[in-house]
Amino acid sequence: MTSLRRLATTLTLAAPLLATGCLSGAIYTHVTVPLDVDLGRTPVHRAEARDSWNTLQYYVRLDWGSDGLGDVAKRYGFTRIHYADLETLSVLGIWRQQWARVYGE
């Protein structure tokens, strides 16, 4: 019964934090952000190249893959990069996968 009471107390104390968003993204986060905001004269292209970088961290950190903009552009045969986005997926802070999205020609 003591552990049940302790769990109820913990949930009661954590509820306001969860409701106000203080722990937002603690379990799951999936966001895409632009890597440049000065797009005034940047042409819009439908051509998109995408590659990923993965991280698994639990006592030790394992990284694999490549999301370097130049690497992605080269693999897809781009000669010019006009803009790029970084998409990040994170689960419990243990698993993270990032994609570099490169737009160009």
Side-chain angles (χ1 to χ4, degrees):
M1 191 66 149
T2 308
S3 58
L4 215 78
R5 196 172 287 153
R6 193 175 298 152
L7 176 63
T9 304
T10 302
L11 289 175
T12 303
L13 293 173
L17 292 174
L18 292 170
T20 60
C22 290
L23 296 178
S24 160
I27 296 172
Y28 174 83
T29 304
H30 191 182
V31 295
T32 301
V33 295
L35 294 178
D36 191 4
V37 293
D38 183 21
L39 301 174
R41 295 185 183 176
T42 303
V44 176
H45 289 279
R46 296 221 182 260
E48 172 190 332
R50 177 176 136 155
D51 217 338
S52 69
W53 175 270
N54 302 288
T55 302
L56 178 63
Q57 185 170 337
Y58 190 73
Y59 293 109
V60 294
R61 181 178 169 154
L62 302 170
D63 294 313
W64 66 95
S66 171
D67 65 352
L69 300 180
D71 294 341
V72 174
K74 186 176 180 180
R75 268 195 294 282
Y76 285 84
F78 286 11
T79 56
R80 295 184 61 154
I81 297 174
H82 293 289
Y83 54 97
D85 296 332
L86 181 63
E87 180 181 354
T88 303
L89 170 75
S90 177
V91 179
L92 296 173
I94 297 171
W95 171 261
R96 184 176 71 217
Q97 186 167 8
Q98 293 180 297
W99 293 271
R101 293 176 183 239
V102 177
Y103 301 88
E105 51 188 289

